[in-house]
Amino acid sequence: MLNSLIERFGLQVQSVRDVENSHSSTVYKCTLLNGDIVFLKIPYTKLKWQRELEAYEFLKGRVAIPEMLDYWSGDDVCPGAFLLSELKGKPLTTDVSPTVAFQVGVLQATMHTVSPPVGKLLTGIQNEFPNWSHFIEKQFYSFAEDVITVVDEHLYRKAIEKFEEMKQQLPPHDGPSFVHMDFRPANIIIDGDQVSGMIDFESVRFGSTEIDFTKLNRDFLSFNPAFYEAFQEGYKSIRPLIDLETVLPFYSFIDAFNSIGWSKRRGIEKNAIFLEENLAKLKTLVM
């Protein structure tokens, strides 16, 4: 498949390597003979391919993202592929200054200013905002079918009870906005002390902004109070910020729960560490 895509896109390749931290799609970093770097991305499903294609259309010129150089709509074997430019830098880590956290806030808030297009039929990116509570509940109980096969009955029952209790305490939803659904450090690229942009739009929706803070808080903001404060300042320089203290506990809980279900679906053995991490979090949050 890789060689056929290289040929299809007419690439003169010097070297190719797999990109780490790509949990769903298959991504290759290609160094061309002229020294340029491009990325070949094969989404996990056709729907994810369609979401990604539409996301590049909506976000181009509005939010810092790679340039889509070319794409292929796929066939019976492959769901499709993209040829993407390089965002200079590397994925976000906690080894940065609060200045970077401020820029991450600006980046996310800018994305959240993107609203559903008027008069355009959406074929990949669904507008879930009108029924946001149902969307969250549907996702939760879908993953519950997998979670129940992994965790003990007592923990499962307590988790269900906690979900039903906590969902009643959420404030009014904020949107409709373009939400990434996987806004985490691996998908945020920085170059020194500058944020270059964001990547990976396979899971995007139009929905409530509240869902987009969970993974960023889990993997970045919670490591340093200065990050948390600077991020909020950056975000609020673009648009109002919801009450994170109210929504984060709920979404952190369902993130742990759903991640257990995701690990079961994608294979317990290869996702064993991720599964155990989220199982430990769930026990802490529920028991």
Side-chain angles (χ1 to χ4, degrees):
M1 177 59 68
L2 173 60
N3 289 335
S4 65
L5 287 176
I6 290 174
E7 182 177 348
R8 179 178 294 277
F9 289 129
L11 303 179
Q12 299 296 313
V13 173
Q14 180 184 133
S15 64
V16 179
R17 69 173 181 83
D18 294 341
V19 173
E20 299 177 359
N21 248 324
S22 181
H23 297 316
S24 180
S25 56
T26 301
V27 184
Y28 300 101
K29 181 178 181 179
C30 305
T31 302
L32 306 182
L33 292 179
N34 64 4
D36 290 347
I37 293 175
V38 295
F39 289 85
L40 278 174
K41 179 172 184 177
I42 306 171
Y44 193 67
T45 64
K46 188 68 175 181
L47 175 58
K48 290 180 179 291
W49 179 88
Q50 187 65 42
R51 284 191 193 128
E52 187 111 7
L53 180 65
E54 290 181 353
Y56 274 92
E57 294 175 356
F58 293 147
L59 299 180
K60 184 178 181 180
R62 307 175 76 175
V63 184
I65 59 173
E67 180 185 356
M68 183 180 291
L69 303 172
D70 202 352
Y71 66 88
W72 173 51
S73 58
D75 55 23
D76 292 339
V77 177
C78 177
F82 299 106
L83 180 65
L84 305 170
S85 69
E86 178 191 25
L87 282 180
K88 296 295 183 182
K90 60 183 181 180
L92 175 68
T93 69
T94 55
D95 187 25
V96 295
S97 71
T99 301
V100 173
F102 181 95
Q103 294 176 52
V104 171
V106 171
L107 176 68
Q108 190 182 51
T110 303
M111 175 182 66
H112 286 166
T113 64
V114 179
S115 301
V118 177
K120 180 178 175 61
L121 178 65
L122 299 173
T123 57
I125 303 178
Q126 301 90 338
N127 182 6
E128 305 287 1
F129 186 76
N131 300 295
W132 186 252
S133 295
H134 175 70
F135 169 71
I136 293 300
E137 185 170 314
K138 184 179 178 181
Q139 274 201 327
F140 180 85
Y141 280 106
S142 174
F143 281 116
E145 297 176 6
D146 300 281
V147 174
I148 196 172
T149 67
V150 179
V151 307
D152 66 71
E153 183 180 349
H154 178 67
L155 178 60
Y156 176 80
R157 188 173 66 254
K158 295 290 288 185
I160 297 299
E161 292 173 356
K162 190 170 186 68
F163 173 78
E164 292 297 334
E165 175 189 344
M166 294 184 74
K167 74 177 184 179
Q168 304 298 330
Q169 303 169 6
L170 292 176
H173 304 310
D174 176 43
S177 295
F178 188 101
V179 290
H180 192 283
M181 302 287 291
D182 197 21
F183 197 76
R184 58 190 176 95
N187 291 328
I188 302 166
I189 307 302
I190 64 168
D191 186 17
D193 62 353
Q194 297 294 317
V195 171
S196 299
M198 61 183 180
I199 59 174
D200 191 4
F201 308 105
E202 291 189 11
S203 300
V204 299
R205 306 288 202 284
F206 286 103
S208 177
T209 64
E210 62 201 54
I211 200 168
D212 255 358
F213 303 99
T214 312
K215 295 179 181 180
L216 182 67
N217 182 65
R218 179 192 70 190
D219 299 336
F220 178 66
L221 299 179
S222 62
F223 284 81
N224 187 336
F227 291 167
Y228 191 76
E229 181 178 348
F231 167 81
Q232 293 187 72
E233 291 176 0
Y235 191 99
K236 287 187 285 190
S237 71
I238 302 298
R239 71 185 301 271
L241 178 64
I242 61 173
D243 182 0
L244 294 181
E245 300 301 320
T246 300
V247 302
L248 276 176
F250 174 74
Y251 281 95
S252 296
F253 158 69
I254 64 172
D255 175 60
F257 185 91
N258 292 355
S259 293
I260 294 171
W262 183 92
S263 300
K264 172 65 167 58
R265 289 182 184 181
R266 297 298 179 89
I268 288 179
E269 289 188 8
K270 68 177 182 178
N271 295 292
I273 295 176
F274 188 61
L275 172 62
E276 289 303 318
E277 288 175 350
N278 284 285
L279 184 57
K281 290 177 186 175
L282 185 66
K283 290 177 179 177
T284 300
L285 293 167
V286 170
M287 306 302 285

